[in-house]
Amino acid sequence: MKKRLLATFFLLLIVLVSCNLPLSNDGDGIDLNPFDANTPMPSPTPTITPTPQPETRILLGEKDILSGDYDAALNEFWLARSQSTDPEIIAIAQLGVGRILLLQKDYRGAVDQLTWLLTNFAEGDTRNRAYFFIAKAYEGLGEYRLAADAYQNYLNALPGPLDSEIREMQGDALMQAGDYAAAKNIYLLAVEKALPEKAETISIKVARAASAAGDDADAISRYLALYESSSTDYIKAQVNLLLGQIYLKLNMPEQAYARFQDSVIQYPIYYDTFSGLVALVEANQPVDSLMRGIVDYYAGSYGQAVSAFDNYMNQYPDHDGTPHYYKALSLWKMGDYTGEIAEWDQLINEHPTDQYLAQAYLEKSSSQWRYLEDYEGASNTLLQYVARYPDAPKSANYLFTAGSIYEIGGYLTKAAETWQRVFNEYPSSDESYEAMFRSGIVTYRLQNFQDAQIIFQRLLVLANSTEEQAATNFWVAKCLEKQNKNNEAITYFQQAASADPTGYYSIRAEEVLAGQNPFPASQSIDLSIDLEGTREDADDWLRSTFNIDPAIDLKTVSDLASNPLFQRGELYWQLGMRDQARTEFENLRNELKGDALNTYRLMNHMVDLGFYQTAALASRQILDMVGLSPATMLDSAPKYLSYIRYGIFYRDIVVAASNEHNIDPLLLFSIIRQESLFDASIASTAGARGLMQITDDTGEYIASNFNWPENFTVDDLDRPLINIRLGAHYLKMWIDKYNGSIPSALSSYNAGDGNNLVWWELAGGDPDLLLEVIRFDETRDYIRYIAENYAVYKSLYTHP
């Protein structure tokens, strides 16, 4: 009977919702349909089904948010809200609807849905968190006063460890609203609870608000106090600029110019100093020509910098090498490479003991070969330095670099000879072993296979690491193959394969012995692991390995809940601020080094929240405590830890992309692990974004080429659903271009196709030689690391 009533309820619910009629829960007075006649229904409107249960739909919606599938998430939250009679489920689902609309930048829709939640629920943490999200929606609408009020409501309802940060947001909203006096008071409250590293930045906001409110005397007092107390140069440069601007407003130019001059002399590298310099110049104030040039240089005003340095050198004939140094760099920035080299020559010839002397040789050499294609001249520049200063700290490195330039220019014999000089003349240098190894590679390329073999065998005796042993054995074998000594070659390939089992050269040796090209496709892949099902063995292993009392709880975060870093990270996560949450959790992970128990607890929690990078690093942290490398991990560590360290997160998206583009899914997992370690919102210094690290311009190109997704914006690269599919499409383009060569495709994916074409030609189609002729260490290592990841993934996720 109960089942029949439940079925009847769901049927009635479907009919009513389909008709868009209001519902009541017969007791709480909660309107179960927030979409009234004045509120547009979110799109897409779902087809409601009674299964799965609303609680499950909430989890699915959260998973869809993590994957960046906002339409699917909205669908799940709407279904959960519509199907449930549990007020808490309804509140959670309704908050989810508001969050999704906010992510989709439908700010008015978000306000409407979140307002419904606040109106229909009188209490509860879920309801109160809506204040924060509605504040963000009001900011998106430019309604800053309402945003500030919403932040205040949030703080009243849920005070906590992020009060200072929320107060700062509230103060920013009040500044935008033009209520400067109120903003100042809010910033003062923020400073009271601010972390030490954030207090100075907020203190500047206090002073700026005071000045904007008309209280310049208070602002000046605060700036002066901050200048005296701060130990941070960029804060002092900023304070000097802001003080100077107030002094000018108050018709106190002498005090203003003193502040600007102070920054020019002491803090020349900051843009705020440049702004002060502009004011000095416009006021015809005398400025030291050298410092003016340096400030101009760091601000990107290179032409003005050159003029300033010329003026300084004319005014002070007995100057040191500093103006030549910065003038040369300015000319380089301007693309005047001939003028730059001439300036380096002046520094070298006229200031032979100057602090910038060694750098002058290196910079001159770099421009000679990079821009003027004078490879011999560039190498000779560095060889001159070595000849003049053989005992200088830079000499070994410069000799090594000279060999590299010869190799780039195609002077292979000279490259080999120069690298051998490093080995012979600076045997204890850091560059010694690598120089001799590269000499062997170049000798191999010259087809002097016996000489190359001798070089590698000589290195084999000196190899210190398992990686070096594997590499030298591998190349001895390659040389023997070229001499048709195949039986001997097999022996060395076998030695290479056993030297460093999870390292690149050992992996590649195994492939050669099996007659395979690099990155052979996986066979019998099994991605149907039950991560939670392997956890009990890991619990037992942890207790045994680290002598943890059986009574101690491993299933919850336990003591971590009281850690301030954990509390802040947890709250950031609840508020949808994943980047800030990741920072807190990463700080906590580093704090827990040596604490296996709490690192394990943190790792499990990070998997639950989708912070897979921190989870993987925590897994490694635990394994490092007992000295388990990737090789020994596979045999000695519990599978649970291995599955997290080498995860198959975002599995459904990766598998779909691999099927669509006919790419091994384990290769895609290997690339994602190397690119981002499964952190979907990570960004590189070069501007690459997301799981597969795609730059904005590349993303636009791929989306155009792929004709997907519709209405693409570069912010979509932060969404795994889009990033993975675009990245797979881009990789497939290169795989097809190079007739299935994975190393070539990876090289183009990482460094661009123009570079790869050169390297492919130099390698003569030999995939092993390709890796050695790649001139970017980052790209070379990138391919090696992906190959190593790929081997581990195969060990974990394939059947023999």
Side-chain angles (χ1 to χ4, degrees):
M1 182 66 179
K2 183 177 180 181
K3 290 182 179 179
R4 180 179 297 177
L5 288 173
L6 185 61
T8 303
F9 170 77
F10 276 120
L11 180 61
L12 177 62
L13 182 65
I14 293 170
V15 172
L16 291 174
V17 173
S18 298
C19 297
N20 200 24
L21 297 176
L23 299 175
S24 170
N25 78 337
D26 295 330
D28 294 328
I30 299 173
D31 178 7
L32 296 183
N33 186 7
F35 307 108
D36 59 25
N38 297 316
T39 304
M41 188 79 94
S43 179
T45 304
T47 301
I48 299 177
T49 174
T51 56
Q53 294 299 310
E55 295 88 343
T56 302
R57 291 202 179 278
I58 295 292
L59 296 176
L60 291 173
E62 293 293 344
K63 179 183 177 183
D64 288 331
I65 291 178
L66 189 63
S67 297
D69 192 345
Y70 300 150
D71 289 340
L74 182 63
N75 188 53
E76 294 294 351
F77 287 132
W78 172 231
L79 285 169
R81 201 214 64 78
S82 302
Q83 293 175 2
S84 180
T85 59
D86 182 337
E88 182 60 20
I89 294 296
I90 294 170
I92 293 171
Q94 186 64 26
L95 183 65
V97 169
R99 288 166 57 202
I100 291 299
L101 294 175
L102 187 59
L103 287 168
Q104 293 178 326
K105 299 184 180 180
D106 180 0
Y107 301 121
R108 181 56 62 191
V111 167
D112 291 340
Q113 301 311 315
L114 294 168
T115 299
W116 182 90
L117 175 58
L118 291 167
T119 302
N120 284 275
F121 288 78
E123 60 184 8
D125 287 355
T126 300
R127 179 253 188 201
N128 291 330
R129 274 197 294 275
Y131 283 123
F132 178 83
F133 293 106
I134 205 170
K136 292 298 182 186
Y138 279 133
E139 286 181 338
L141 292 169
E143 299 177 9
Y144 297 107
R145 167 61 69 178
L146 292 174
D149 292 343
Y151 283 128
Q152 185 61 56
N153 289 333
Y154 174 85
L155 289 164
N156 292 341
L158 291 173
L162 295 181
D163 282 2
S164 176
E165 287 77 6
I166 306 298
R167 289 286 186 200
E168 185 179 0
M169 296 175 198
Q170 183 185 13
D172 292 345
L174 288 168
M175 288 292 287
Q176 290 285 346
D179 192 345
Y180 307 121
K184 172 190 168 183
N185 292 331
I186 293 299
Y187 286 139
L188 284 170
L189 293 174
V191 170
E192 290 179 6
K193 294 187 176 182
L195 296 175
E197 61 268 24
K198 296 182 178 180
E200 290 183 341
T201 299
I202 303 174
S203 294
I204 287 177
K205 291 186 176 185
V206 173
R208 297 187 78 158
S211 179
D215 194 348
D216 287 321
D218 182 51
I220 290 172
S221 176
R222 292 182 183 279
Y223 283 137
L224 289 173
L226 182 56
Y227 184 89
E228 292 302 322
S229 64
S230 179
S231 59
T232 307
D233 286 353
Y234 79 86
I235 291 290
K236 292 193 171 190
Q238 187 179 7
V239 166
N240 271 339
L241 176 64
L242 295 170
L243 267 172
Q245 290 172 339
I246 293 178
Y247 284 137
L248 287 176
K249 183 175 69 171
L250 297 176
N251 197 27
M252 302 169 66
E254 290 186 4
Q255 290 90 330
Y257 300 149
R259 285 289 153 184
F260 298 151
Q261 292 280 12
D262 181 60
S263 288
V264 169
I265 299 301
Q266 297 199 66
Y267 318 115
I269 69 173
Y270 301 106
Y271 197 85
D272 284 336
T273 298
F274 176 73
S275 298
L277 173 63
V278 171
L280 290 170
V281 173
E282 289 178 348
N284 294 317
Q285 291 295 304
V287 181
D288 178 272
S289 297
L290 177 63
M291 297 312 300
R292 175 178 176 176
I294 293 173
V295 172
D296 282 331
Y297 167 75
Y298 282 109
S301 295
Y302 305 117
Q304 293 177 350
V306 168
S307 297
F309 294 131
D310 284 338
N311 290 338
Y312 179 80
M313 288 187 282
N314 290 332
Q315 188 177 1
Y316 300 100
D318 294 331
H319 58 79
D320 64 7
T322 301
H324 292 295
Y325 174 79
Y326 282 103
K327 181 182 176 183
L329 291 179
S330 298
L331 291 167
W332 171 66
K333 289 284 191 179
M334 295 167 66
D336 183 359
Y337 306 119
T338 301
E340 174 212 354
I341 290 171
E343 205 64 35
W344 291 128
D345 281 336
Q346 275 195 275
L347 195 159
I348 289 168
N349 296 326
E350 297 174 12
H351 306 278
T353 60
D354 193 83
Q355 61 175 326
Y356 295 116
L357 179 70
Q359 191 68 20
Y361 277 95
L362 184 62
E363 297 290 349
K364 175 186 174 182
S365 172
S366 178
S367 289
Q368 283 177 303
W369 76 264
R370 289 180 186 274
Y371 307 111
L372 304 183
E373 297 185 354
D374 182 6
Y375 300 102
E376 286 190 291
S379 295
N380 285 332
T381 295
L382 296 177
L383 294 175
Q384 287 170 9
Y385 178 86
V386 174
R388 291 176 183 175
Y389 312 101
D391 298 325
K394 297 283 188 182
S395 291
N397 179 263
Y398 283 12
L399 191 58
F400 179 90
T401 304
S404 299
I405 296 170
Y406 274 136
E407 188 272 335
I408 293 170
Y411 300 94
L412 300 188
T413 300
K414 288 185 176 181
E417 292 171 350
T418 305
W419 278 326
Q420 288 180 33
R421 280 187 59 190
V422 179
F423 187 82
N424 294 326
E425 296 174 25
Y426 300 95
S428 61
S429 68
D430 293 339
E431 296 82 3
S432 175
Y433 189 95
E434 179 66 16
M436 199 61 171
F437 185 87
R438 293 196 180 187
S439 173
I441 295 295
V442 167
T443 304
Y444 180 95
R445 289 173 59 192
L446 290 168
Q447 300 186 29
N448 297 329
F449 302 118
Q450 186 172 8
D451 291 343
Q453 175 192 337
I454 292 170
I455 291 172
F456 290 123
Q457 286 178 321
R458 184 180 179 188
L459 286 174
L460 191 56
V461 177
L462 301 173
N464 291 320
S465 68
T466 55
E467 180 183 356
E468 290 175 349
Q469 292 168 7
T472 48
N473 271 300
F474 182 85
W475 279 101
V476 169
K478 292 279 289 185
C479 293
L480 289 166
E481 272 191 329
K482 288 294 185 179
Q483 298 173 67
N484 296 317
K485 299 178 180 179
N486 294 325
N487 290 335
E488 292 180 62
I490 289 173
T491 299
Y492 279 97
F493 278 131
Q494 290 171 339
Q495 291 173 184
S498 63
D500 184 27
T502 57
Y504 173 80
Y505 288 102
S506 289
I507 294 166
R508 183 66 195 117
E510 287 276 12
E511 292 168 352
V512 171
L513 289 168
Q516 297 172 329
N517 289 322
F519 297 90
S522 306
Q523 303 295 325
S524 304
I525 299 174
D526 182 7
L527 301 179
S528 61
I529 64 161
D530 176 11
L531 185 61
E532 192 61 30
T534 64
R535 181 169 167 177
E536 185 174 345
D537 288 342
D539 289 354
D540 294 341
W541 176 87
L542 193 80
R543 293 185 191 280
S544 173
T545 303
F546 295 97
N547 299 314
I548 297 173
D549 192 309
I552 291 178
D553 177 28
L554 297 181
K555 301 299 182 185
T556 67
V557 296
S558 190
D559 298 341
L560 285 180
S562 62
N563 185 292
L565 291 171
F566 181 88
Q567 292 172 348
R568 289 171 58 81
E570 192 80 358
L571 188 49
Y572 273 132
W573 169 73
Q574 292 172 0
L575 298 179
M577 303 175 70
R578 290 189 64 86
D579 290 344
Q580 294 85 343
R582 179 184 66 237
T583 298
E584 300 295 334
F585 289 135
E586 270 297 284
N587 289 339
L588 176 57
R589 181 185 64 80
N590 286 313
E591 182 182 283
L592 294 175
K593 285 183 178 177
D595 183 348
L597 171 60
N598 282 310
T599 299
Y600 186 73
R601 287 168 169 164
L602 177 65
M603 177 191 73
N604 293 329
H605 192 58
M606 293 298 94
V607 171
D608 291 341
L609 300 189
F611 289 96
Y612 302 127
Q613 182 186 85
T614 299
L617 293 173
S619 174
R620 175 177 178 173
Q621 197 162 293
I622 294 168
L623 295 171
D624 285 348
M625 291 181 203
V626 290
L628 291 180
S629 66
T632 53
M633 171 195 76
L634 295 172
D635 296 325
S636 304
K639 289 289 188 183
Y640 180 71
L641 291 177
S642 300
Y643 287 150
I644 293 174
R645 185 172 177 182
Y646 290 85
I648 52 172
F649 308 114
Y650 305 103
R651 173 173 50 190
D652 293 346
I653 302 173
V654 170
V655 169
S658 71
N659 289 336
E660 180 180 20
H661 294 95
N662 193 29
I663 300 174
D664 186 340
L666 298 186
L667 177 61
L668 286 181
F669 283 121
S670 301
I671 293 171
I672 293 171
R673 187 180 190 278
Q674 182 58 34
E675 291 282 7
S676 63
L677 199 52
F678 296 95
D679 185 341
S681 62
I682 199 169
S684 73
T685 55
R689 302 169 65 166
L691 291 174
M692 296 192 71
Q693 288 292 278
I694 302 170
T695 60
D696 290 355
D697 55 347
T698 300
E700 290 175 340
Y701 166 75
I702 303 170
S704 175
N705 179 273
F706 197 19
N707 199 29
W708 183 89
E710 188 177 355
N711 301 318
F712 171 81
T713 70
V714 294
D715 288 341
D716 289 333
L717 293 173
D718 296 330
R719 300 167 62 184
L721 179 73
I722 294 175
N723 188 288
I724 292 173
R725 194 176 178 202
L726 291 182
H729 180 75
Y730 191 53
L731 179 65
K732 179 62 172 175
M733 288 170 53
W734 299 127
I735 292 174
D736 290 344
K737 178 170 183 174
Y738 289 100
N739 299 317
S741 170
I742 302 298
S744 295
L746 291 174
S747 174
S748 289
Y749 189 96
N750 178 260
D753 196 40
N755 292 308
N756 188 58
L757 286 170
V758 174
W759 299 332
W760 182 251
E761 183 177 339
L762 291 175
D766 183 337
D768 299 316
L769 200 53
L770 172 66
L771 192 73
E772 308 300 347
V773 301
I774 289 175
R775 286 161 185 160
F776 298 160
D777 290 344
E778 178 185 341
T779 302
R780 187 185 306 117
D781 291 341
Y782 175 79
I783 296 173
R784 289 178 182 172
Y785 294 151
I786 290 176
E788 291 167 2
N789 288 343
Y790 193 41
V792 175
Y793 272 102
K794 285 184 175 182
S795 297
L796 287 172
Y797 299 105
T798 62
H799 295 304

